[in-house]
Amino acid sequence: MKQASVSTVLEKILDRPRKRRTNEKVIPILGVPCDAVVVFVRFLYSSRCTEEEMDRYGVHLLALSHVFSVHQLKQRCTKGLARQLMVENVVDVLQLARLCDAPDLYLKCMKLLSKDFKSVQKTEGWKFLQENDAWLELEILQFLDEIESRQKRRSKNREEQSLYLQLSEAMECLEHICTEGCTNVGPYDKEPTKKMGPCEKFSTCQGLQFLIKHFATCKKRISGGCCRCKRMWQLLRLHSSICDQSDHCKVPLCRQFKLRTQLERKGRHDDGRWRLLVKKVVSAKAISSLSLPKRKRDQESNVLAGHTHRHC
């Protein structure tokens, strides 16, 4: 029979030995409206179900398709109910999805519920759930807590990544200022470059120039009481940790910091947190360079190639 080929459950029921000798076999389908049963049986024969029927009997059809293992109808019901999801019915559909083992529908319900949980809490479905299904309530609250924790971690990672990118940009500006000069601060052996337009990283470059000028004239620096000088000191140390050409580097104290780091490693006083910071800044610089437009990357590669050629 057609029903048996569509549903393995129906096939087993139909093949079960009969107690009475009769050609008729009745399979009771209880707990759903008669019209929903008619639509279900028609689907077994024709594999068809209209959108109107799905809108009206989707909940009942999902239950029937799960009980009788009609997978094709179950997929249709899952998609149809997902389209009908709203704040008012999300708790009811969530309970059904859980009972009928419909993970896709379950996840969509959870996502909708998490987006507007305050409104969901006002619905009758949520109040009923609190009174009758404490386990599902706990499951929902754990899901919401996990989402909140994940969002906090993402926000923290974005903030950290932004900080590492700023430090990476500061390293580029520091090398740029100490090698070529910019605006009114330049290397010790020549005047700063006077460009017609603003520096490409003007805000960072300008702030760093103010910091350099303060560092050069500050009297508190000797006693270690100036926070701005401490910041400049850390930037110089960070540059030294990243720089791979200390013999020809024009950034102040680059070689001295490298020698100090080597002595600390020999004495086993290496700072693991500092090494992690250096690693993060280098990684941020690499990611930033990969995100640049191809034309800009090509230009920077050409400039670097020309710079290398002049030194060879």
Side-chain angles (χ1 to χ4, degrees), residues 102-118:
D104 292 343
L105 183 59
Y106 176 89
L107 185 58
K108 287 182 179 179
C109 290
M110 281 292 204
K111 287 182 178 179
L112 175 60
L113 193 146
S114 64
K115 286 181 181 178
D116 198 0
F117 184 57
K118 289 184 178 180

Side-chain angles (χ1 to χ4, degrees), residues 29 31-44 48-78 80-81 84 96 100:
I29 300 177
V32 295
C34 293
D35 291 340
V37 176
V38 171
V39 174
F40 175 69
V41 174
R42 189 188 305 134
F43 183 87
L44 296 178
R48 293 179 183 177
C49 180
T50 66
E51 293 295 330
E52 184 180 354
E53 291 170 339
M54 184 59 66
D55 292 342
R56 185 175 298 180
Y57 306 115
V59 171
H60 307 296
L61 292 173
L62 177 58
L64 290 170
S65 64
H66 174 70
V67 170
F68 291 99
S69 297
V70 185
H71 301 295
Q72 186 179 358
L73 179 59
K74 189 173 182 178
Q75 290 177 351
R76 288 278 307 275
C77 293
T78 299
L81 289 172
Q84 299 173 33
L96 181 64
C100 295

Side-chain angles (χ1 to χ4, degrees), residues 13-25:
I13 294 174
L14 291 171
D15 290 342
R16 192 181 300 163
R18 298 170 183 168
K19 294 181 180 179
R20 294 182 299 173
R21 293 183 178 180
T22 175
N23 292 329
E24 295 182 358
K25 189 153 192 177

